[in-house]
Amino acid sequence: MRIVLFGPPGAGKGTQAKRLCDRHDLKHISTGDLLRGAIRKDTEVGREAKKHINDGALVPDDLVWELARQALSEQNNDNFIVDGFPRTVTQAEWLDAYLEGRGKPVSAVISFEIDPEQVINRLSMRRVHARTGANYHLDYNPPPPDVREEDLIQRDDDRPEAIRRRLEVYKNQTEPVKHYYERKGLLSCIESIGSIDEVSERIERVLRREDVLRK
Ligand code: AMP
């Protein structure tokens, strides 16, 4: 199955993607993680991407697609989750053309619905483990006691100015992707509030209802 997790930053897509991948043996493809990896390695793509990311803007489609296409082609079991991608209609069209060309189109798109105020809270309270990349929320999903405070970092794009810009970008450039998939009959919406377990259960229900597990 090939699932797209869609929604604003801070909606919990990354957390749920990891769970789904463990449970259903899927590969997790997060363009945000791929871009941060390129920045860490100081590649040409990474250096270009960094400017946009720290501003809260989108990285140009062709750069993101280069990384996404490579990740898609590296795995051959055709069972994966894309998280944080596609973020523009152009990216969605490229993804669809690529997957349809392989006879393995997107099985389902799950849209995480959440109020923007909650997004601001979640992102400003998010901390990331510098080495493992694990995400925590200081109140709702605190790091375990053995994690040292100095190992937790706040992403530059989780600072208030960048969060506001990311939400604006989401509304203007990414929300049209939702309508694109709605027209294709692939969209299911879930409420992304409540505990991590509650949100997981809503996703599992959609997968069962749409019979995605067998696609
Ligand atoms: P994320 O970790 O998914 O929130 O992504 C962090 C940042 O990486 C975003 O705010 C964008 O600047 C950039 N980014 C990630 N995925 C994409 C994408 N599909 N298209 C454009 N920019 C992206």
Side-chain angles (χ1 to χ4, degrees), residues 31-32 35-36 53 57 59 64 84-85 87 91 155 157 166:
T31 44
L35 289 163
R36 282 184 288 277
I53 292 180
V59 173
V64 174
F85 179 87
R87 264 176 155 102
Q91 292 176 15
R155 281 170 41 173
D157 60 345
R166 287 163 76 196

Side-chain angles (χ1 to χ4, degrees), residues 9-13 112 114 117-127 136-138 140 158 163 192-194 199:
K13 301 185 297 294
F112 286 50
I114 184 169
E117 284 304 311
Q118 294 231 21
V119 164
I120 294 170
N121 171 284
R122 283 193 190 182
L123 291 181
S124 55
M125 300 289 274
R126 173 160 71 181
R127 295 295 180 277
Y136 301 104
H137 183 284
L138 293 178
Y140 301 123
D158 279 348
I163 295 175
S192 187
I193 47 171
V199 177

Side-chain angles (χ1 to χ4, degrees), residues 74-149:
E74 273 167 10
Q75 54 90 47
N76 48 22
N77 66 0
D78 294 316
N79 288 311
F80 57 80
I81 288 181
V82 277
D83 148 24
F85 179 87
R87 264 176 155 102
T88 63
V89 171
T90 300
Q91 292 176 15
E93 287 170 348
W94 288 350
L95 176 68
D96 283 347
Y98 178 82
L99 295 178
E100 283 160 17
R102 293 183 3 164
K104 298 278 183 188
V106 168
S107 318
V109 178
I110 299 178
S111 173
F112 286 50
E113 306 288 319
I114 184 169
D115 175 59
E117 284 304 311
Q118 294 231 21
V119 164
I120 294 170
N121 171 284
R122 283 193 190 182
L123 291 181
S124 55
M125 300 289 274
R126 173 160 71 181
R127 295 295 180 277
V128 183
H129 193 279
R131 193 168 36 78
T132 63
N135 278 299
Y136 301 104
H137 183 284
L138 293 178
D139 287 339
Y140 301 123
N141 180 24
D146 60 325
V147 169
R148 296 179 312 174
E149 211 178 312

